[in-house]
Amino acid sequence: MKTAVYPGTFDPITRGHLDVIRRGSHIFDELIVAVGSNPHKKPLFSLQERMEMIRAEVTDLPNVSIDSFEGLLVDYVRSRGTNIILRGIRTIADFDYEFQMALTNRKLGGDIETVFAMASEEYSFLNSQLIKEIAEMGGDVTPFVTPAVARALQERLGGTV
Ligand code: ADP
């Protein structure tokens, strides 16, 4: 049984994240989407809201579960009985940061392995921050997030969808 943990802030979940989740669910027997509660990031949506939004989008993937974590990611990964982290890579701009994180987690966690999935190129420019800014200014975010997430953004930020 190969289990992987896909950690992130998911504030909110985008079509890019969903693409990575779908790919991960095909590669691993079990995929745990782990939502970080990192308060330094001051997320727009609460931990509970972010988890619910993800849960609603993956109902067709029986081997995907949603959880939250705080503290060191490597400790959380161990506590779930695995050593595999899944991360997404968009462009070369992600590479430096992800490379640093992967090697740091390996140093901290011993045999921790980070596996990277590349989202489809149509999502490679997407990030949650940009989507929040578009929603805030009343732009249409439906190409970037699912209808339910677009509605949640509209309710929270007051943009037009
Ligand atoms: P974090 O705050 O940990 O970076 P994010 O929610 O921003 O959390 O991202 C979680 C993971 O998903 C990261 O590995 C990030 O590179 C990846 N990711 C985010 N958006 C995309 C996308 N559009 N395509 C591929 N990977 C993505």
Side-chain angles (χ1 to χ4, degrees):
M1 270 289 269
K2 283 259 178 271
T3 300
V5 171
Y6 178 34
T9 310
F10 307 107
D11 187 41
I13 182 128
T14 70
R15 292 191 190 276
H17 292 130
L18 286 169
D19 186 274
V20 172
I21 291 173
R22 215 157 280 280
R23 284 167 204 282
S25 77
H26 294 146
I27 300 169
F28 300 103
D29 300 306
E30 219 191 300
L31 182 67
I32 301 163
V33 181
V35 185
S37 60
N38 189 347
H40 299 302
K41 289 212 166 176
K42 291 204 177 27
L44 176 66
F45 294 101
S46 72
L47 184 63
Q48 227 51 45
E49 289 170 325
R50 284 177 281 147
M51 290 174 72
E52 276 316 310
M53 278 190 261
I54 303 170
R55 193 168 285 125
E57 302 300 344
V58 300
T59 49
D60 61 324
L61 302 173
N63 64 338
V64 174
S65 59
I66 321 297
D67 196 7
S68 64
F69 76 100
E70 51 187 348
L72 275 183
L73 175 62
V74 292
D75 292 341
Y76 172 74
V77 171
R78 288 256 175 260
S79 77
R80 298 303 312 255
T82 184
N83 65 339
I84 308 169
I85 297 172
L86 173 68
R87 294 283 287 179
I89 291 266
R90 283 164 285 204
T91 61
I92 195 76
D94 277 339
F95 183 77
D96 264 352
Y97 176 71
E98 293 293 343
F99 179 74
Q100 195 179 15
M101 288 295 292
L103 292 185
T104 304
N105 284 330
R106 189 184 281 169
K107 245 321 180 240
L108 286 172
D111 65 343
I112 293 280
E113 293 295 347
T114 306
V115 173
F116 295 98
M118 266 170 254
S120 159
E121 68 280 0
E122 62 186 301
Y123 305 127
S124 64
F125 62 95
L126 282 186
N127 78 55
S128 300
Q129 186 53 40
L130 202 60
I131 291 167
K132 282 182 278 191
E133 285 168 24
I134 295 168
E136 203 167 11
M137 290 183 279
D140 178 14
V141 292
T142 50
F144 317 129
V145 295
T146 61
V149 174
R151 274 194 302 279
L153 277 165
Q154 187 189 19
E155 277 162 23
R156 188 62 46 94
L157 294 170
T160 44
V161 176

